[in-house]
Amino acid sequence: MNRRSLGTAVAIGVLLGTALFWVDGQIGERIGTVEIGIAFGPSQRAGDSSTSIINSTSTSTAVVPVTTMTAAVEQTSTTTSTTSTVALNLPPNVDQAWREEVLFLTNAERLREGLAPLVGCNRLHVAAQVHSDAMYEQGFYDHVNPDTGSDPGSRATDAGYNWYSIGENAYKSPQSPREAVRGWMNSPGHRANILGEYLHLGVGITLGGSDTYGDGDWFFWVQKFGSGGECG
């Protein structure tokens, strides 16, 4: 190879390397923005003395006393018909089939592991929707509401679900049920909840906005897992 050919090859290599570096940076930036999820669970009224909040963007785990889950005054298992009606419908700007699709995809993952399917639960739907709406309206992203102090256990109790065990997954940004469930399954904390020893599932979905995570709308997603309560 003569000097001119060698120089041309080097120049092409430099340009290609620069282009690949830029593409890699863009992909890394996008993944770093999109892959956001938090998992809370499992917690039981009797049994373990602690539970964990796991942030999928970090390897650290914070231990929270179970007493924070049971601070709210327990309510009876009865609820008004209004509560059950609210659970049947998602907000009008959310696809009404998505709640059932999240349940279906979650149960598909459980069946692959030989686990019994979860049953959709109206009262847990209410608790999940309250939280996804609150995160959007109040501008926070956590399992504990900074304004009201409500947590996964107290929200379930407030919805009339007298739980024995409770867990919660949250995800900010996915644009479809399949993307949300796939993201949860790729995170150890969220996967543990999906494959956990629960009986019931509630799903909350709230439109977060558009273009923040790419073209189109993005959403807040909440899965509320529970055992021991009545679904209404």
Side-chain angles (χ1 to χ4, degrees):
M1 180 181 292
N2 58 38
R3 289 185 176 180
R4 177 174 297 178
S5 298
L6 179 60
T8 300
V10 170
I12 292 174
V14 170
L15 290 173
L16 181 60
T18 301
L20 289 175
F21 178 82
W22 182 85
V23 170
D24 181 68
Q26 295 301 305
I27 293 174
E29 182 180 356
R30 176 67 183 278
I31 291 175
T33 302
V34 173
E35 293 300 326
I36 303 172
I38 47 178
F40 185 105
S43 178
Q44 298 180 332
R45 288 196 185 279
D48 295 340
S49 61
S50 64
T51 187
S52 297
I53 295 178
I54 303 168
N55 189 331
S56 66
T57 61
S58 171
T59 58
S60 63
T61 300
V63 178
V64 181
V66 153
T67 52
T68 62
M69 294 289 294
T70 58
V73 176
E74 289 192 17
Q75 298 180 353
T76 62
S77 59
T78 59
T79 57
T80 64
S81 58
T82 302
T83 299
S84 296
T85 301
V86 170
L88 299 179
N89 296 293
L90 291 167
N93 53 11
V94 174
D95 190 326
Q96 296 300 302
W98 278 5
R99 178 174 282 148
E100 290 301 319
E101 189 172 350
V102 170
L103 176 62
F104 173 82
L105 293 170
T106 298
N107 281 334
E109 297 294 345
R110 291 177 62 85
L111 290 172
R112 288 191 183 97
E113 301 297 326
L115 301 172
L118 301 175
V119 176
C121 182
N122 281 353
R123 292 176 183 175
L124 291 182
H125 287 329
V126 170
Q129 192 63 49
V130 163
H131 192 47
S132 64
D133 286 345
M135 286 193 291
Y136 166 67
E137 293 168 2
Q138 296 167 225
F140 72 95
Y141 184 49
D142 202 339
H143 290 293
V144 178
N145 187 312
D147 294 337
T148 67
S150 69
D151 58 37
S154 65
R155 283 190 292 274
T157 300
D158 290 344
Y161 187 84
N162 190 25
W163 55 275
Y164 169 74
S165 62
I166 206 78
E168 184 176 273
N169 283 349
Y171 205 170
K172 176 183 177 181
S173 78
Q175 297 175 326
S176 71
R178 188 168 298 276
E179 182 183 347
V181 174
R182 183 172 62 243
W184 279 322
M185 286 299 293
N186 287 334
S187 168
H190 304 83
R191 178 187 176 92
N193 277 344
I194 288 175
L195 303 182
E197 296 182 1
Y198 297 108
L199 298 177
H200 303 134
L201 178 67
V203 179
I205 309 169
T206 303
L207 177 63
S210 61
D211 298 328
T212 300
Y213 300 101
D215 295 336
D217 293 326
W218 62 274
F219 300 83
F220 288 92
W221 304 77
V222 174
Q223 285 181 310
K224 177 77 72 175
F225 304 88
S227 295
E230 295 182 3
C231 289

